Amino acid sequence: GGLPAALEHVDTSMSLAGNIKELFLEPEGRVRTLVERTIIQEYSRLGSVFSLLTILGNGKRTYRELREKLDPRNTGNLSKLLKKLIDNETVVCLHPINRPDERKTTFYAISDNLLRFYFTYVHPNRSRIQQLGVDAVYEEFVQPSLPTYLSYRFGDTARSYFSRAVRAGLMKGIRDVGTYWYDGRERHRSWEFDCAVAYSDGYG
């Protein structure tokens, strides 16, 4: 996702850790520099955009959660910022396919994988990288959470797979692809399935 040129810098002869350290964590890392010079500069005039993207990171948040952190006085600035980021496809607004119009189940997430990784691991740790060094930051703040980071992205991959299969005519009868919200009222707990498909007679 993001800048296709970033993929050209990946060294397949190196380990995952080596690529992350060299390309993202090093202050002069090629991909880090690419992000900061070509993308971040575009957002510098958008107020609290860096705080918003850092909060989103590898996850997703409801509008209420974002407002509590960034706009507790409800000035309307958050709505304007989100609209701009959605318009330029930096942020995506996600609706479960079975609750498309329900605000409490509407989530916001970073749509670009390159920016997602940057705001999950690099931007929040810039001062730590200076103070502790690349190796220490990788071992303490990156490596332990990589399995979780990748598991969140698997849902995106699964949804993309079904969408591509439908467009290619390999799967029939599917009316929608997305997430699914389950309201377990009897257990006083609700949760979301990361990937679901809608058929005429239900969901799978």
Side-chain angles (χ1 to χ4, degrees), residues 51-90:
S51 297
L52 170 62
L53 294 176
T54 300
I55 291 170
L56 291 175
N58 188 41
K60 53 190 176 183
R61 298 286 187 271
T62 63
Y63 182 85
R64 180 178 179 180
E65 291 172 327
L66 294 174
R67 191 184 67 190
E68 288 175 352
K69 292 180 178 293
L70 297 175
D71 191 18
R73 296 182 181 179
N74 198 20
T75 63
N77 291 333
L78 176 60
S79 295
K80 295 176 183 177
L81 179 58
L82 283 171
K83 184 179 185 306
K84 290 179 181 178
L85 293 177
I86 291 171
D87 288 345
N88 66 21
E89 299 182 348
T90 299

Side-chain angles (χ1 to χ4, degrees), residues 8-175:
E8 298 176 359
H9 299 303
V10 175
D11 186 347
T12 56
S13 67
M14 291 176 59
S15 65
L16 175 63
N19 274 287
I20 290 175
K21 291 177 184 179
E22 185 171 303
L23 298 179
F24 278 98
L25 299 185
E26 289 287 354
E28 299 301 323
R30 292 179 182 178
V31 177
R32 176 175 173 175
T33 301
L34 190 65
V35 172
E36 293 177 344
R37 288 183 180 175
T38 62
I39 297 180
I40 304 304
Q41 286 181 357
E42 298 179 15
Y43 301 145
S44 60
R45 64 185 183 278
L46 296 181
S48 56
V49 63
F50 299 114
S51 297
L52 170 62
L53 294 176
T54 300
I55 291 170
L56 291 175
N58 188 41
K60 53 190 176 183
R61 298 286 187 271
T62 63
Y63 182 85
R64 180 178 179 180
E65 291 172 327
L66 294 174
R67 191 184 67 190
E68 288 175 352
K69 292 180 178 293
L70 297 175
D71 191 18
R73 296 182 181 179
N74 198 20
T75 63
N77 291 333
L78 176 60
S79 295
K80 295 176 183 177
L81 179 58
L82 283 171
K83 184 179 185 306
K84 290 179 181 178
L85 293 177
I86 291 171
D87 288 345
N88 66 21
E89 299 182 348
T90 299
V91 169
V92 62
C93 185
L94 302 170
H95 307 273
I97 56 178
N98 64 319
R99 300 281 185 89
D101 301 317
E102 193 168 307
R103 188 163 187 173
K104 75 173 185 178
T105 60
T106 297
F107 296 90
Y108 296 88
I110 298 175
S111 59
D112 178 86
N113 281 327
L114 189 60
L115 278 183
R116 183 184 285 119
F117 192 90
Y118 179 86
F119 279 101
T120 299
Y121 291 119
V122 183
H123 189 73
N125 292 309
R126 294 179 73 184
S127 62
R128 291 192 181 102
I129 291 172
Q130 275 190 321
Q131 295 175 351
L132 307 176
V134 168
D135 290 337
V137 168
Y138 178 82
E139 292 173 5
E140 292 295 324
F141 298 98
V142 181
Q143 186 179 35
S145 64
L146 275 178
T148 300
Y149 179 91
L150 294 173
S151 70
Y152 285 0
R153 306 280 59 83
F154 181 76
D156 297 337
T157 303
R159 292 191 297 272
S160 177
Y161 168 81
F162 285 110
S163 296
R164 289 169 181 258
V166 172
R167 290 199 301 268
L170 301 177
M171 301 184 74
K172 305 293 184 181
I174 293 179
R175 297 188 169 189

